[in-house]
Amino acid sequence: MNVALTGATGFIGSHVLEELHKHGHEVTALVRDDAQADIVATRGATPTVIDLYDRPAVVSALRTADGAIHTASPGDATSADLDSAVVDAAINAFAGTGKPYLHISGVWIYGTNPAISEKSPFNPPAMVAWRQPIERRVLDATDMRGVVITSSVAYGDGGGGIPGLLLGSPRDDAGNLIMLGTGQQHWSTVHVADLADFFRRVVEHDSARGYYVIGNGVNSTVAELTEAAAVAAGAPAAVPGSDEEARARLGEYFADVLLLDQSTTAAKARTELDWAPSHPGLVDEFRHGSYRN
């Protein structure tokens, strides 16, 4: 297949590009400038320099593809506008074709929940409350195979914003890392290569539709993760913080999503698409893998 991909130079998108290319798919990477075009070209993609807000241009690019994956995100207040623009273009380009459009989301939209599944009610904190109405448009589009992949915290290969946040945690007077909150909340996580593998499976299976919650099933506590991050960062240990300290450090919106207590087993992905995460968990990655030193 020829798959149009946004965010191909990002942490998740670059791994999706690698996974698709490895399995024989052609990738057209929609990038914002020549520098990004050069990067994706060296990785086997055909670059198209484009403004993702230019709907006619994006529609034209998508119509020549067999499917599309959207992973690009500015990670700021304009994220909703970008997602909305890309979704509108995909609906215009793909409606009536049955082509797949894969849209990335995150498990934060479910709020605190110890057993998240695709049937769980949405309870998003303010930071991600904009997501669900846009995702609904994806799934309601006529004759387009819309799929929303709600990813857990992605890690691996020494990258990812949230692992980096833990490694850069402030320290107390003894040099110990300070946890986000008390550390008793669980986080659902997934290795970025396993996540990319799932994106590829969705592209290849015409039966894949709707929401898919993706996590490796480990669901470590923030205390366990920060203690492991201390090993990678060369800190003596990690100590509990408080919700107030987390909000003062990160701002209320960002702290609220990181203080959520969440777990998932990704049963639908495992059952329907035979997905089986194979990479070490984030605790092991911190202690023994790609984040050391």
Side-chain angles (χ1 to χ4, degrees), residues 40-247:
V40 299
T42 64
R43 297 172 179 172
T46 300
T48 296
V49 177
I50 199 167
D51 178 357
L52 292 178
Y53 289 99
D54 184 346
R55 187 182 301 179
V58 177
V59 169
S60 178
L62 294 184
R63 280 181 175 158
T64 64
D66 299 313
I69 298 174
H70 176 49
T71 68
S73 176
D76 58 25
T78 67
S79 296
D81 292 337
L82 181 67
D83 271 18
S84 187
V86 173
V87 166
D88 286 344
I91 291 172
N92 192 331
F94 287 173
T97 68
K99 292 180 180 180
Y101 170 72
L102 283 59
H103 187 90
I104 195 165
S105 184
V107 294
W108 292 339
I109 61 174
Y110 294 102
T112 288
N113 188 327
I116 297 171
S117 75
E118 292 76 12
K119 296 180 179 180
S120 297
F122 299 109
N123 185 25
M127 182 176 170
V128 294
W130 54 270
R131 284 192 175 278
Q132 199 271 331
I134 296 173
E135 294 161 7
R136 191 70 258 163
R137 301 209 314 264
V138 172
L139 302 184
D140 288 344
T142 304
D143 294 331
M144 177 182 82
R145 182 161 69 87
V147 183
V148 177
I149 298 174
T150 51
S151 173
S152 298
V153 171
Y155 67 90
D157 294 341
I162 302 303
L165 183 70
L166 294 182
L167 290 167
S169 297
R171 305 193 182 203
D172 66 10
D173 292 342
N176 301 305
L177 299 188
I178 300 174
M179 299 173 193
L180 287 160
T182 63
Q184 296 309 298
Q185 72 272 33
H186 297 80
W187 282 359
S188 180
T189 57
V190 63
H191 193 285
V192 66
D194 289 325
L195 178 60
D197 172 79
F198 185 74
F199 271 93
R200 191 259 309 166
R201 289 170 185 266
V202 171
V203 166
E204 295 175 346
H205 288 75
D206 290 341
S207 62
R209 298 172 184 271
Y211 275 99
Y212 285 90
V213 176
I214 301 301
N216 61 14
V218 178
N219 305 312
S220 302
T221 66
V222 169
E224 292 169 330
L225 293 170
T226 314
E227 288 163 358
V231 174
V239 296
S242 67
D243 292 1
E244 292 73 18
E245 187 277 333
R247 293 189 174 99

